[in-house]
Amino acid sequence: MKNLSYHEARLNKTRHELWGFSDYWNLSELIIMPDSVDNALHKCRLSYNGEIEVIKWEPYTPRTIRKIQRVYDDNIDYRYKYEDRDELNTLFAQRKDADEILIIKNGLVTDSLYCNVAFYNGNAWCTPNSPLLPGTQRACLLEAGVIREAEISENDLGKYSLVKLFNAMVGWENAVALGIESIA
């Protein structure tokens, strides 16, 4: 399982902040891959409250993204990885003919529907310091020095030439770099 320590840290932080738990869940002990999961790429979905409710394994197929539509919501809050994605799905419905969305909150660039984003300025890849959800792949890339945080406003987008969308399922090496003009 990819970036397990980062998933574990986020899960335990969420359990502590939302429900006051101080015990530490070790995901490598809690998640056992069933025999039905083959060698194809799968996503493991862990639903929990105070306790684990469901662990599901689902085949994963990366989406093709060619065009990104800016959408706006100054009140959206997705700091925890919730199962309820109604607010995000409402924004995704505003994408027009685009394949993906870029969420702008209070003038700042945040994330896409399922991915964190990074922008290339000719020297470095920068990820917004205002993500809706600081993803596990993002944390890994920041720690490794592959990307760096920056305040990126919607007005700053013209300073960048490329954009990449990435998450735990779409690793940095597989994330397609699109020209900044792909953002409408």
Side-chain angles (χ1 to χ4, degrees):
M1 287 180 265
K2 189 174 181 181
N3 299 333
L4 191 61
S5 64
Y6 294 97
H7 287 281
E8 204 168 81
R10 180 173 66 195
L11 173 137
N12 284 299
K13 178 179 185 265
T14 298
R15 290 182 71 243
H16 176 73
E17 291 178 3
L18 289 182
W19 301 295
F21 290 103
S22 58
D23 62 320
Y24 191 84
W25 283 359
N26 182 329
L27 288 178
S28 64
E29 294 173 2
L30 295 172
I31 299 176
I32 293 148
M33 191 179 307
D35 293 336
S36 60
V37 174
D38 59 20
N39 288 334
L41 188 58
H42 282 74
K43 181 175 189 166
C44 179
R45 230 180 248 285
L46 177 71
S47 297
Y48 59 94
N49 237 329
E51 298 298 324
I52 294 175
E53 296 172 351
V54 177
I55 299 174
K56 290 193 298 191
W57 293 85
E58 304 167 352
Y60 182 81
T61 304
R63 296 169 44 221
T64 300
I65 299 169
R66 292 180 206 90
K67 184 176 178 183
I68 303 166
Q69 178 66 50
R70 294 178 222 199
V71 295
Y72 303 86
D73 189 330
D74 290 344
N75 299 309
I76 190 166
D77 180 5
Y78 195 73
R79 73 186 106 172
Y80 303 106
K81 193 168 179 118
Y82 300 112
E83 263 188 77
D84 179 358
R85 296 178 55 88
D86 288 346
E87 285 182 286
L88 292 168
N89 292 334
T90 298
L91 292 175
F92 189 66
Q94 299 172 28
R95 73 187 179 282
K96 301 177 184 170
D97 65 339
D99 308 298
E100 185 54 271
I101 58 173
L102 182 64
I103 302 165
I104 310 296
K105 180 177 180 178
N106 297 316
L108 297 175
V109 175
T110 64
D111 299 319
S112 74
L113 179 65
Y114 286 107
C115 295
N116 290 127
V117 294
F119 300 91
Y120 188 66
N121 64 11
N123 296 310
W125 283 97
C126 302
T127 191
N129 64 2
S130 54
L132 295 177
L133 179 71
T136 59
Q137 181 71 7
R138 180 182 181 276
C140 181
L141 293 169
L142 284 167
E143 189 174 295
V146 175
I147 60 175
R148 63 183 176 95
E149 281 189 318
E151 181 173 282
I152 303 174
S153 73
E154 179 183 14
N155 294 333
D156 293 332
L157 290 174
K159 299 176 182 176
Y160 298 95
S161 59
L162 300 171
V163 59
K164 272 192 178 193
L165 286 72
F166 58 93
N167 61 26
M169 299 304 298
V170 181
W172 185 255
E173 61 285 350
N174 296 322
V176 176
L178 299 170
I180 203 71
E181 67 279 356
S182 64
I183 301 173

